[in-house]
């Protein structure tokens, strides 16, 4: 589509009751990002209340009509996903505006390939709109969905706002509080007030303490809201604070509480579990148990069930799940591992579920049979679950569709690592409705992480790993070898799983950085990386962790058998190089002594370097003797790489996990959380240009 164009959704697809909007962009430095937002507007172009403003502090509508699903990696970068259930949008909402904003003074002109894509309920892309020249703006209106003659249409807008998210939201009638300091102070006051209220009401409502698990969302005032009982306020107690306005300052993630001291006499006593895994003996038992455990928790914890199915086009409604359902299929009935059914306004959304555990792969003929059954019975989707991670351009299972059938069936895949990630995010960072739901998710997470569950995620680099390593060692691996492509694909799967695991633990967005040109063929890109692996013997990846001052780089050198984790941080805008060096060494007071520190120079020549142990008494050793300007510093840790292809103590996957964990916990956490400074590479280019 071009700017200003519009199109009716019904003319593009019959399945537009639920649609997904994807916003994507790329960054030359790899660390540029933006946040999406949605506004529901009435005929006068204003929100009905602040609750119609959906953004990172208010991502989900209570009725499920809007849900911000967060970021997901793609073949050439990342994308933000938003689902809309247009069948339940209130009648007085005439327009739905989709926008994005940058923060800390960043502008959309620094991002490339800005794009909006809209897909129907079956996941088929219906339209695409690219914003070619956004300008020096901090917020951008990508497009809007609007009613016309009882149907929904889409209009491509591409309009920028210099005043950022605050200006955009204010223009549409949202009362926004954008002061970060006031935001933090307000949060502390709200927490203190909430604690006092809980203590005062403990005798009357013991269950009130569970409310602290609810995620904070903007208040929605209404005249029909029941009034709280009036209580006398002591003279020394401050008056109750007014309902908070939506804050554009990001809230801090609350760390998980320390577990209570166990009442067991010794470590040999095992805690009773709702979902035991130790007695499982066969893969069939593991698949049956895993399916039943997951589907039962999805049905009982609405936030979790919705989180997993919203991206598949499921509406927000009453969910029921089933296992071992027998469905007719010719002479031999089929029994999928599970069925998910969601009811909304008298309409049903149904998905068949096929599950695999351990290293078992999905069987194409089995998945094909379920897709055919779903098409005949009018079901919407087939969902596969396994430890494999699906890559763009490289589907785990190829399914043929009968073009003569009017009904379309969407094929979706979930990895067990994604399931564990979503459970972790809810119970440790975002919160769920009540304590019972949190306990259920905790039991699910414990089951998935049990050594006998078979749901540990991607755990094997594949049969090509050892031959490729040996070929690199003896220099017999030639470019064009298909085994190198297999290793590159499995490396990409491993990196995505590392992002999910680390993001779940931190409660932050952790995403792989792709520097490939948007729109490039992912298979061609992987073939080029495989040729690079054959020539140089290295596997490389970059991770962007929300809130860190740079990109975390990961390099596996198969020639030397070493893993390197590193990060480049920019030099401060002001001050002297010696002051920078001293300050950096002070920040790293608790970092490992074997941390390598290197100065990055404006002429891109190798800079002074040394271990932290040697630099602590002499930070001046990081200064170049000839006075060449310093643009930043590179911090690196090295360790031996695991040799085997699996996740055993000596395995490659285990060594990668431990390397990333150690580097983040002992190095990255000590660095300043600056996100607006340009990367050292960008500065080097600027200095060279001058």
């Amino acid at each position: 589509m071009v700017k200003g164009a519009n199109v009716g959704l019904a003319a593009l697809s019959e399945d537009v009751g639920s649609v997904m909007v994807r916003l994507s962009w790329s960054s030359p430095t790899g660390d540029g990002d933006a946040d999406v937002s949605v506004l529901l507007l009435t005929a006068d172009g204003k929100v009905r209340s602040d609750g119609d403003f959906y953004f990172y502090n208010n991502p989900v509508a209570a009725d499920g009509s809007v849900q911000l699903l967060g970021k997901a990696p793609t073949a050439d970068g990342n994308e933000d996903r938003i689902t809309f259930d247009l069948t339940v949008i209130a009648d007085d909402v005439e327009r739905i505006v989709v926008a994005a904003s940058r923060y800390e003074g960043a502008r959309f002109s620094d991002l490339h390939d800005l794009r909006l894509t809209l897909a129907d309920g079956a996941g088929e892309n219906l339209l695409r709109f690219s914003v070619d020249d956004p300008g020096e703006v901090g917020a951008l209106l990508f497009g809007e969905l609007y009613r016309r003659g009882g149907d929904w249409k889409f209009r491509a807008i591409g309009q920028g706002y210099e005043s950022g998210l605050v200006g955009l939201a204010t223009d549409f009638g949202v009362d926004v509080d954008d002061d970060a300091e006031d935001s933090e102070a307000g949060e502390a006051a709200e927490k203190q007030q909430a604690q006092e209220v809980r203590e005062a009401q403990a005798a009357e409502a013991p269950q009130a303490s569970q409310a602290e698990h609810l995620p904070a969302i903007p208040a929605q005032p209404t005249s029909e809201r029941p009034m709280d009982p009036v209580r006398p306020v002591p003279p020394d107690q401050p008056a109750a604070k007014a309902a908070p306005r939506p804050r554009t300052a990001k809230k801090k993630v609350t760390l998980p509480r320390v577990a209570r001291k166990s009442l067991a006499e010794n470590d040999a006593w095992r805690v009773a579990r709702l979902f035991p895994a130790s007695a499982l003996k066969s893969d069939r038992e593991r698949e049956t148990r895993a399916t039943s455990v997951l589907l039962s928790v999805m049905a009982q914890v609405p936030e979790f069930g919705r989180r997993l199915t919203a991206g598949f086009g499921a509406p927000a409604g009453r969910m029921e799940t089933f296992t071992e359902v027998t469905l007719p299929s010719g002479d031999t009935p089929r029994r999928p591992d599970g069925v998910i059914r969601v009811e909304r306004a008298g309409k049903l959304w149904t998905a068949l579920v096929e599950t695999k555990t351990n290293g078992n792969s999905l069987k194409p003929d089995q998945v094909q049979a379920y897709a055919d059954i779903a098409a005949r019975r009018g079901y919407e989707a087939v969902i596969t679950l396994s430890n494999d991670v699906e890559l763009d351009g490289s589907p785990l299972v190829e399914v043929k569709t009968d073009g003569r059938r009017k009904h379309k069936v969407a094929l979706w895949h979930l990895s067990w690592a994604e399931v564990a990630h979503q459970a972790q995010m809810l119970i440790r960072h975002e919160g769920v409705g009540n304590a019972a739901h949190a306990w259920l998710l905790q039991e699910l997470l414990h089951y998935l992480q049990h050594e006998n569950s078979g749901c540990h995620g991607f755990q094997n680099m594949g049969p090509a790993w050892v031959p490729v390593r040996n070929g690199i060692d003896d220099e017999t691996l030639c470019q064009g070898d298909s085994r190198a492509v297999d290793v590159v694909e499995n490396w990409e799967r491993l990196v995505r799983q590392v992002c999910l695991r680390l993001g779940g633990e931190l409660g932050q967005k952790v995403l792989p950085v792709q520097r490939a040109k948007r729109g490039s063929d992912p298979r061609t890109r992987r073939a080029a990386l495989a040729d690079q692996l054959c020539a140089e013997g290295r596997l490389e990846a970059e991770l962007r962790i929300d809130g860190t001052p740079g990109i975390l780089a990961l390099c596996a050198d198969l020639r030397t058998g070493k893993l390197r984790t590193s990060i480049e941080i920019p030099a401060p805008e002001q001050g002297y190089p010696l002051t920078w060096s001293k300050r950096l060494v002070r920040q790293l007071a608790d970092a490992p002594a074997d941390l390598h520190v290197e100065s990055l120079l404006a002429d891109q020549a190798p800079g002074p370097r040394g271990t932290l142990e040697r630099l602590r008494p002499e930070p001046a050793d990081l200064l170049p003797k000839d006075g060449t300007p310093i643009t930043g510093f590179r911090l690196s840790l090295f360790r031996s790489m695991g040799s085997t292809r699996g996740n055993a103590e000596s395995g490659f996957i285990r060594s990668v996990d431990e390397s990333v964990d150690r580097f983040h916990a002992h190095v990255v956490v000590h660095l300043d959380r600056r996100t607006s400074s340009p990367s050292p590479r960008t500065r080097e280019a600027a200095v060279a240009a001058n």
Side-chain angles (χ1 to χ4, degrees):
M1 295 184 67
V2 298
K3 186 174 180 179
N6 61 80
V7 63
L9 301 187
L12 304 177
S13 172
E14 296 181 354
D15 189 8
V16 291
S18 175
V19 298
M20 176 181 288
V21 172
R22 297 180 175 93
L23 302 184
S24 58
W25 42 77
S26 62
S27 167
T29 63
D31 55 359
D33 200 8
D35 292 313
V36 302
S37 53
V38 172
L39 297 107
L40 305 186
L41 309 178
T42 58
D44 63 356
K46 302 292 184 181
V47 296
R48 297 168 300 176
S49 70
D50 292 344
D52 284 340
F53 177 35
Y54 299 96
F55 63 121
Y56 43 74
N57 278 346
N58 181 33
V60 181
D63 60 1
S65 57
V66 180
Q67 181 163 343
L68 277 58
L69 301 179
K71 298 183 185 297
T74 62
D76 46 12
N78 301 289
E79 63 183 16
D80 265 284
R81 302 170 299 163
I82 316 164
T83 60
F84 297 100
D85 189 347
L86 300 178
T87 63
V88 297
I89 296 291
D91 293 339
D92 55 349
V93 172
E94 294 290 330
R95 297 164 55 199
I96 304 173
V97 172
V98 180
S101 58
R102 305 204 68 191
Y103 38 85
E104 301 290 340
R107 298 296 178 184
F108 274 95
S109 56
D110 299 328
L111 299 179
H112 297 169
D113 307 314
L114 292 122
R115 179 183 300 173
L116 178 147
T117 305
L118 187 145
D120 63 10
E124 182 175 339
N125 290 338
L126 303 181
L127 60 87
R128 184 178 65 185
F129 169 53
S130 297
V131 182
D132 297 326
D133 184 17
E136 297 289 329
V137 296
L140 183 66
L141 290 183
F142 277 80
E144 67 176 4
L145 295 161
Y146 64 98
R147 297 183 194 267
R148 184 61 52 88
D151 294 326
W152 285 97
K153 302 185 72 172
F154 175 82
R155 178 183 291 114
I157 299 178
Q159 174 187 339
Y161 274 76
E162 293 185 5
S163 51
L165 177 62
V166 178
L168 183 152
T170 303
D171 277 1
F172 290 115
V174 180
D175 187 14
V176 178
D177 178 4
D178 189 49
D179 188 87
E181 295 182 359
D182 290 347
S183 173
E184 295 179 3
E187 290 173 26
E190 289 169 13
K191 290 180 179 178
Q192 177 64 28
Q193 181 183 2
Q195 179 64 27
E196 293 173 358
V197 171
R198 285 195 295 271
E199 293 175 356
Q201 298 180 344
E204 301 177 24
Q207 299 299 322
S209 62
Q210 295 175 359
E212 63 182 312
H213 298 289
L214 288 168
I217 62 174
Q220 300 187 35
T222 170
S223 59
E224 298 178 0
R225 183 177 178 178
M227 298 182 63
D228 295 330
V230 179
R231 292 185 174 87
V233 180
D236 57 345
Q237 181 176 334
K241 188 177 179 180
R245 292 174 287 166
R247 296 191 182 97
T248 60
K250 289 191 173 182
K251 293 189 174 183
K252 294 181 179 179
V253 175
T254 302
L255 297 176
R257 296 180 179 179
V258 178
R260 293 191 227 177
K261 183 179 179 181
S262 174
L263 301 180
E265 288 186 2
N266 55 62
D267 294 339
W269 287 25
R270 294 184 179 180
V271 176
R273 292 294 178 185
L274 182 64
F275 310 122
S278 57
L280 299 174
K281 297 180 180 179
S282 68
D283 285 339
R284 182 55 187 164
E285 289 181 356
R286 292 184 182 90
E287 290 173 5
T288 303
R289 178 69 60 83
T291 305
S292 181
V293 168
L294 173 62
L295 296 188
S296 63
V297 175
M298 287 175 60
Q300 294 302 317
V301 184
E303 301 95 332
F304 182 60
R306 177 64 180 158
R307 181 70 63 90
L308 292 183
T309 59
F312 302 156
R318 182 173 66 91
M319 178 183 292
E320 287 190 14
T321 53
F322 311 86
T323 59
E324 298 295 325
V325 175
T326 301
L327 297 174
S329 177
D331 297 333
T332 306
R334 292 278 184 169
R335 297 183 68 186
D337 292 319
V339 176
I340 301 172
R341 190 157 253 193
V342 182
E343 187 271 335
R344 178 81 188 198
K347 296 182 180 180
L348 289 176
W349 180 92
T350 307
L352 304 182
V353 179
E354 173 61 14
T355 303
K356 296 296 179 184
T357 56
N358 280 333
N360 297 310
S361 300
L362 296 164
K363 298 178 180 179
D365 58 338
Q366 203 172 32
V367 178
Q368 180 71 62
Y370 294 147
D372 293 340
I373 292 173
R376 287 196 300 268
R377 300 180 69 86
Y379 297 162
E380 282 71 23
V382 173
I383 300 173
T384 57
L385 266 162
S386 74
N387 285 317
D388 282 328
V389 177
E390 188 170 47
L391 304 179
D392 292 311
S394 182
L396 297 174
V397 178
E398 295 281 359
V399 173
K400 298 178 181 178
T401 57
D402 188 347
R404 296 171 298 178
R405 285 203 176 103
K406 188 175 182 180
H407 183 76
K408 294 181 295 183
V409 176
L411 179 62
W412 305 98
H413 179 73
L414 265 179
S415 71
W416 287 113
E418 172 73 14
V419 173
H421 167 79
Q422 297 296 354
Q424 240 180 348
M425 290 297 294
L426 284 172
I427 62 176
R428 296 185 180 174
H429 307 290
E430 299 175 10
V432 289
N434 56 59
H437 289 173
W439 177 72
L440 278 174
L441 284 176
Q442 180 63 50
E443 289 298 300
L444 169 66
L445 193 58
H446 182 273
Y447 176 85
L448 297 178
Q449 295 172 344
H450 193 280
E451 59 184 8
N452 197 37
S453 70
C455 305
H456 307 123
F458 180 73
Q459 297 292 307
N460 197 308
M461 289 296 292
W465 173 250
V466 173
V468 167
R469 281 202 61 178
N470 293 338
I472 290 175
D473 285 341
D474 55 27
E475 299 184 0
T476 59
L477 187 66
C478 300
Q479 293 185 347
D481 194 319
S482 61
R483 295 174 300 179
V485 176
D486 292 340
V487 169
V488 166
E489 288 186 346
N490 286 331
W491 169 250
E492 187 175 340
R493 291 185 173 97
L494 175 58
V495 169
R496 292 197 179 187
Q497 181 166 286
V498 168
C499 291
L500 288 172
R501 183 183 54 79
L502 187 60
E505 294 172 358
L506 301 177
Q508 301 280 2
K509 291 178 292 187
V510 182
L511 296 166
V513 176
Q514 296 286 3
R515 298 186 185 274
K517 184 178 180 181
R518 185 170 298 279
S520 60
D521 180 46
R523 297 188 181 185
T524 303
R525 175 178 61 84
R526 293 183 188 113
L529 292 175
D531 289 343
Q532 182 180 337
L533 170 63
C534 296
E536 302 175 3
R538 293 196 301 269
L539 293 167
E540 297 178 328
E542 294 178 308
L543 313 181
R544 185 176 74 243
I545 305 174
D546 198 25
T548 60
I551 300 296
L552 191 155
L554 178 61
C555 176
D557 193 328
L558 276 65
R559 296 186 189 276
T560 63
K562 294 288 186 181
L563 279 171
R564 172 175 179 166
T565 45
S566 61
I567 191 170
E568 295 182 3
I569 56 175
E573 298 285 352
Q574 299 178 345
Y576 299 95
L578 181 58
T579 305
W580 304 342
S581 302
K582 289 181 177 180
R583 184 175 180 226
L584 178 62
V585 171
R586 285 197 303 269
Q587 287 179 356
L588 299 172
D590 296 326
D594 61 341
L595 178 69
H596 288 238
V597 184
E598 175 188 358
S599 296
L600 303 176
L601 306 183
D603 59 6
Q604 300 189 19
R609 68 192 69 189
T611 62
L612 190 58
E613 183 179 26
R614 184 174 69 82
L615 292 171
R616 276 170 175 154
E618 294 293 340
D621 288 350
L622 283 172
L623 307 184
K625 303 300 183 183
D626 59 359
T628 303
I630 294 176
T631 61
F633 301 92
R634 181 186 292 119
L635 313 177
S636 307
L637 276 179
F638 297 85
R639 66 155 286 169
S640 296
M641 188 175 70
S643 56
T644 61
R645 67 186 189 182
N647 194 39
E649 291 292 337
S650 60
F652 174 72
I653 294 176
R654 178 75 61 88
S655 64
V656 171
D657 285 337
E658 292 176 351
S659 295
V660 173
D661 288 346
R662 180 177 182 237
F663 189 75
H664 184 271
H666 297 287
V667 179
V668 176
V669 295
H670 299 300
L671 302 175
D672 285 346
R673 295 299 193 264
R674 293 174 298 174
T675 58
S676 59
S677 298
S679 68
R681 294 179 184 177
T682 305
R683 286 192 177 183
E684 290 170 5
V687 172
N690 293 330

